[in-house]
Amino acid sequence: MITKETKEKILETALIDEVVGDFVLLKKRGSNLLGLCPFHNEKTPSFTVSPAKGFFKCFGCGKAGDSVTFIMEHEHITFPESLRYLANKYHIEIEETAPTPEILEEQSIRESLFIVSAFAQRFYTEQLWQSESGKAIGLSYFRERGFTDDIINKFQLGYAPDQWTSLGTAALGAGYKMEFLEKTGLIINQDGKQYDRFRGRVLFPIHNVTGRTVGFGARILKADPKSPKFLNSP
Ligand SMILES: [Zn+2]
């Protein structure tokens, strides 16, 4: 666990206007800063940052907090991960004590979810570049839309074959546990029958600030009035 002293040092050092300013364009208004809220859609800025108080508040959606909560909410990461992000940004050395068994258990589940998500990303990317349907349907779709191969590679785009269990079969074959695949939502379990959430879609991995895959957005490529055009993993 990160020590109390390190937490305090991070909170004292992290400047809210700098932390938020990495993600939101802020303009000075009196002693505060104002910008468009990153947590809800708005055209008139109601997102306020107070450097003096070390606090942000949105008068549109009500979201408020300090530097640590801003990073947690914005990047969908945990409290300790947010502290680590800020420590890294401000070059603060982290002091830690041994974690409790409960925390270790929680970390290990979370880590497992990251690991299966990374496998899924590699699987979908491989399908895009190497499978016949991936090349014919997915890759040609991206290229038609004007995506260069560099961009397709950079964002780790992928393709989910139009089959019920392609990811599931590959993941189990590679030794990953169904339990974690289901937890990520990439595999759906309906009354004991397991199938892939994404089928016949191009895949856009969603990365957090540390570059790890935390989820996927997917666009359908066949005409199917019963399926949504865009689908996200939970
Ligand atoms: Zn808001």
Side-chain angles (χ1 to χ4, degrees), residues 37-40 42 46-47 58-63:
C37 178
F39 301 112
H40 83 281
E42 62 177 8
S46 53
F47 182 81
C58 173
F59 290 93
C61 66
K63 271 242 163 53

Side-chain angles (χ1 to χ4, degrees), residues 49-70:
V49 170
S50 165
K53 292 180 193 153
F55 216 73
F56 72 89
K57 182 170 172 67
C58 173
F59 290 93
C61 66
K63 271 242 163 53
D66 59 18
S67 296
V68 182
T69 45
F70 178 83

Side-chain angles (χ1 to χ4, degrees), residues 87-105:
N88 183 46
K89 178 173 166 67
Y90 288 99
H91 311 291
I92 297 166
E93 204 178 317
I94 292 181
E95 283 171 20
E96 288 185 82
T97 53
T100 63
E102 290 78 22
I103 287 173
L104 278 178
E105 165 84 16

Side-chain angles (χ1 to χ4, degrees), residues 119-142 152 156-163 166-167 196 198-205 216-222:
F119 172 80
Q121 179 270 308
R122 290 195 303 274
F123 171 78
Y124 292 136
T125 297
E126 204 178 279
Q127 292 298 312
L128 179 76
W129 291 98
Q130 285 166 27
S131 75
E132 286 313 312
S133 64
K135 284 186 279 187
I137 303 168
L139 199 53
S140 67
Y141 168 79
F142 284 134
I152 297 170
Q156 302 181 314
L157 306 186
Y159 176 75
D162 195 9
Q163 293 161 16
S166 61
L167 174 68
D196 292 5
F198 299 122
R199 303 176 305 277
R201 289 171 181 270
V202 281
L203 272 280
F204 300 86
F216 294 88
R219 187 200 195 281
I220 203 162
L221 289 181
K222 58 179 176 182

Side-chain angles (χ1 to χ4, degrees), residues 18-179:
E18 290 180 0
V19 172
V20 173
D22 284 343
F23 302 93
V24 181
L25 182 67
L26 295 168
K27 285 186 181 145
K28 232 176 150 35
R29 187 200 261 186
S31 58
N32 289 338
L33 297 148
L34 196 65
L36 289 172
C37 178
F39 301 112
H40 83 281
N41 271 321
E42 62 177 8
K43 293 201 174 79
T44 318
S46 53
F47 182 81
T48 309
V49 170
S50 165
K53 292 180 193 153
F55 216 73
F56 72 89
K57 182 170 172 67
C58 173
F59 290 93
C61 66
K63 271 242 163 53
D66 59 18
S67 296
V68 182
T69 45
F70 178 83
I71 294 298
M72 283 171 70
E73 302 265 352
H74 195 267
E75 295 300 311
H76 304 286
I77 58 179
T78 63
F79 183 72
E81 285 167 339
S82 175
L83 287 176
R84 277 177 211 286
Y85 167 90
L86 293 171
N88 183 46
K89 178 173 166 67
Y90 288 99
H91 311 291
I92 297 166
E93 204 178 317
I94 292 181
E95 283 171 20
E96 288 185 82
T97 53
T100 63
E102 290 78 22
I103 287 173
L104 278 178
E105 165 84 16
E106 196 181 301
Q107 279 175 352
S108 127
I109 293 173
R110 214 177 143 74
E111 187 58 31
S112 299
L113 297 184
F114 275 127
I115 290 169
V116 293
S117 299
F119 172 80
Q121 179 270 308
R122 290 195 303 274
F123 171 78
Y124 292 136
T125 297
E126 204 178 279
Q127 292 298 312
L128 179 76
W129 291 98
Q130 285 166 27
S131 75
E132 286 313 312
S133 64
K135 284 186 279 187
I137 303 168
L139 199 53
S140 67
Y141 168 79
F142 284 134
R143 285 174 176 159
E144 267 165 36
R145 280 296 175 104
F147 290 65
T148 62
D149 287 4
D150 276 356
I151 290 293
I152 297 170
N153 268 318
K154 183 177 177 187
F155 289 92
Q156 302 181 314
L157 306 186
Y159 176 75
D162 195 9
Q163 293 161 16
W164 287 96
T165 59
S166 61
L167 174 68
T169 305
L172 288 183
Y176 295 94
K177 284 195 182 149
M178 198 42 102
E179 173 197 348

